[in-house]
Amino acid sequence: MGTFYCAICRQTTFTGKRHIFGKNHQSRLRVVLLKFVEKVKEARRTLKKPQVEKFDCTQHKQTFWCYCCELDIENNVTDGNMAVLHGGLLEHMATPEHRKNTHKFWWENKADPKLRDKVIITEEETERFKAEVAKALESYVEKEDEYIKQQADLLRAQEKHRQEVLQSLLEVCFPRMQWHVMQSRSRSMDPMAPTCLQRILSALSLCLKDQSSRWGAASSTPWLKCPVLQQDKA
């Protein structure tokens, strides 16, 4: 009889393929197939109405183990920006390889024939699904464009409101500041207007001249009152 490894029961037996007829194997097989069929049934609900969502690596990077092909399959189809839910599972179930492996799996494990076709997607179903996916993707892109447009309009309105509030604050709370700003701008635009440094130097020069004249007058008065100078003058 020899040894035999059962992938369903995940154990090695020494009774050969007689193991697949055993009660434990068949019980385990029914549990596996019920979960398998339920998962495919959930994906089938999207055949007529595919679901397209914005890609999220925490939700849309799920995998699905196909017992018939012994492969880990991507459950969703994504390009990194958006994801078609269950697209990967449905695409795999429609391949000729999966159909071939499904028939082989059912024969080797003596599974219930009524459940076999429930895990296979026909070519007609695949074509209808592709057509519906194209419509769903187009609708999703239109909604995203509209959302981006609305957000852009909102940002422009917020910026306009901010500018209006800032302008009102300048006009109401800082009128003198605004006047000085306007004066400085007008002076900077006038080529004949003296620079700030020139104005300071002119004011300093006038101040020095005035101070010198005062000192000269104060120092000359005592000498004029001196008797010697008065005699010489006489």
Side-chain angles (χ1 to χ4, degrees), residues 144-175:
E144 285 293 306
D145 290 342
E146 183 65 23
Y147 175 77
I148 293 173
K149 183 180 178 181
Q150 291 177 357
Q151 292 298 312
D153 293 340
L154 179 62
L155 290 175
R156 282 193 290 267
Q158 291 177 348
E159 179 62 19
K160 182 179 179 181
H161 178 69
R162 189 183 68 83
Q163 292 291 343
E164 291 175 352
V165 172
L166 181 60
Q167 183 66 26
S168 63
L169 287 175
L170 288 175
E171 293 176 354
V172 176
C173 302
F174 307 103

Side-chain angles (χ1 to χ4, degrees), residues 12 32 48-49 59 65 91 96-98 112 119 132 147 150-152 171 173 180 184 193 199 214:
T12 301
V32 169
K48 296 182 179 180
K49 192 176 181 181
Q59 298 181 4
W65 179 256
E91 185 179 12
E97 292 79 7
H98 174 75
D112 186 357
V119 297
E132 295 299 329
Y147 175 77
Q150 291 177 357
Q151 292 298 312
E171 293 176 354
C173 302
H180 285 297
S184 62
R199 293 195 300 271
R214 292 180 181 179

Side-chain angles (χ1 to χ4, degrees), residues 30-119:
R30 281 193 295 270
V31 173
V32 169
L33 291 181
L34 286 176
K35 292 182 179 180
F36 191 27
V37 171
E38 187 63 29
K39 188 67 177 180
V40 179
K41 184 179 179 181
E42 180 183 354
R44 280 182 177 275
R45 296 192 184 101
T46 64
L47 283 173
K48 296 182 179 180
K49 192 176 181 181
Q51 299 178 11
V52 180
E53 296 180 356
K54 187 176 182 180
F55 175 70
D56 186 350
C57 61
T58 61
Q59 298 181 4
H60 300 140
K61 274 294 184 182
Q62 301 172 350
T63 57
F64 174 76
W65 179 256
C66 179
Y67 288 94
C68 301
C69 302
E70 297 184 352
L71 291 175
D72 210 16
I73 308 300
E74 291 284 345
N75 190 33
N76 308 304
V77 173
T78 177
D79 62 350
N81 296 318
M82 48 189 173
V84 180
L85 302 187
H86 306 295
L89 188 151
L90 293 172
E91 185 179 12
H92 171 74
M93 297 294 173
T95 59
E97 292 79 7
H98 174 75
R99 178 184 294 272
K100 179 181 178 180
N101 292 331
T102 299
H103 284 276
K104 181 181 178 181
F105 176 86
W106 248 254
W107 171 257
E108 290 180 348
N109 290 276
K110 301 300 183 285
D112 186 357
K114 297 179 181 179
L115 300 177
R116 184 183 57 198
D117 291 339
K118 293 184 178 181
V119 297

